Amino acid sequence: MGAFKAFEDNGIEFDAVAGTSAGSLFGALYASGLKYEEMYSLTYNIKNSDFKHSKLGFLPSSLDRLQQIIKEVLPVSRIEELNMPYYAVAVDLKTGNEIHFNEGLISKVVTGSCAIPGVFLPVKYRDMTLIDGGVSNNIPADVLKSHGCDFVITIDCNCSRGGGTNSKNFLTQFTTSIGIMMVNNSKRGIKCSDIIICPELKRFKSLKINGKNDMIKEGYRATMALMPEIKKLFAGKYKKQ
């Protein structure tokens, strides 16, 4: 959200968006035409318990509540109704295939993309069993390049993936293990990104939204630091036209 605010403050607009996991959620908010202040207002009262609500900490939680939140905050229900081309990346557990959704129910597709194995239950949609797209493609810049985008700006909210942890908490150990596994499947997206924005978010817990205002400020800072490069990149495109 901090990155979106920085783009908005500088008049930067995009033609398409792709996202994996939480990126699919905020990508959908952006693609629906919501501005930063609207996003902030709509998401301000979201609580940690809206995502992780299993009574037993080691059991995966349902994402039904997140589905309901998405239905409440988005002005449209289907991907085809969004303001721009949008792609959400998930993996079908039945086939092992990486799926790039550009149509269908946003609430189902996004929650499927967010369903971290072992943390959240898979999401049933059509004849698929969807899990987090980060299992296969954590930075889907290649998806946008394959659909004709000239330049791709990536917001990488987990630049520290692959780092270890001293925590004895099961969920922290598990998500750290997932991050280590995701290092290799991020390489493709990094290679296809023209500019990568890397907010320093390591001090925040990945499964909690405590400190969200500080996270937003860091996203804004990291984006503004690269704004001269972003404007230079886009200026080259406009000069060619």
Side-chain angles (χ1 to χ4, degrees):
M1 285 174 61
F4 292 157
K5 185 178 189 305
F7 295 141
E8 194 174 313
D9 287 351
N10 285 270
I12 302 291
E13 297 182 352
F14 296 91
D15 301 312
V17 61
T20 296
S21 201
S24 71
L25 171 57
F26 284 92
L29 294 178
Y30 182 86
S32 71
L34 294 177
K35 301 299 183 184
Y36 166 76
E37 291 295 342
E38 295 172 296
M39 290 187 199
Y40 187 85
S41 297
L42 289 169
T43 60
Y44 183 78
N45 291 319
I46 291 177
K47 305 178 294 295
N48 293 322
S49 58
D50 289 326
F51 299 92
K52 190 76 180 92
H53 49 77
S54 172
K55 299 299 183 183
L56 297 174
F58 56 87
L59 292 179
S61 295
S62 163
L63 284 168
D64 290 348
R65 174 57 185 149
L66 179 57
Q67 283 191 38
Q68 186 58 40
I69 291 172
I70 292 169
K71 292 176 183 178
E72 291 170 1
V73 302
L74 280 177
V76 297
S77 62
R78 298 189 62 84
I79 293 175
E80 304 94 299
E81 299 170 324
L82 293 169
N83 288 7
M84 64 181 68
Y86 163 85
Y87 306 92
V89 178
V91 170
D92 180 8
L93 194 58
K94 287 184 178 180
T95 63
N97 291 334
E98 178 181 320
I99 312 295
H100 303 162
F101 287 96
N102 63 351
E103 56 83 28
L105 290 173
I106 300 172
S107 59
K108 286 286 188 179
V109 168
V110 167
T111 49
S113 180
C114 290
I116 304 170
V119 179
F120 300 113
L121 293 171
V123 174
K124 300 286 187 180
Y125 182 50
R126 296 174 179 168
D127 60 344
M128 296 171 284
T129 301
L130 301 179
I131 59 173
D132 195 312
V135 170
S136 176
N137 187 351
N138 201 50
I139 300 178
D142 61 304
V143 177
L144 292 175
K145 283 290 177 78
S146 71
H147 285 89
C149 289
D150 296 293
F151 304 117
V152 176
I153 308 298
T154 289
I155 307 167
D156 186 357
C157 293
N158 189 15
C159 298
S160 62
R161 70 177 64 82
T165 180
N166 290 320
S167 175
K168 292 181 169 47
N169 178 273
F170 169 77
L171 280 177
T172 300
Q173 291 178 346
F174 189 84
T175 54
T176 298
S177 301
I178 294 279
I180 292 170
M181 288 189 293
M182 286 180 176
V183 171
N184 282 330
N185 67 35
S186 296
K187 291 179 180 178
R188 182 182 11 155
I190 290 171
K191 185 177 180 180
C192 290
S193 302
D194 294 281
I195 292 175
I196 302 176
I197 299 166
C198 291
E200 296 177 5
L201 302 174
K202 191 172 183 179
R203 66 187 185 276
F204 300 101
K205 294 184 180 296
S206 60
L207 292 178
K208 294 185 181 295
I209 56 175
N210 300 339
K212 55 191 171 186
N213 287 332
D214 290 331
M215 290 188 232
I216 290 171
K217 289 177 183 177
E218 173 54 23
Y220 187 87
R221 182 208 63 79
T223 307
M224 289 302 295
L226 290 172
M227 193 56 67
E229 292 183 40
I230 295 170
K231 288 184 176 180
K232 183 178 179 181
L233 182 71
F234 287 177
K237 165 66 176 175
Y238 297 141
K239 285 178 183 177
K240 291 178 185 177
Q241 292 179 338

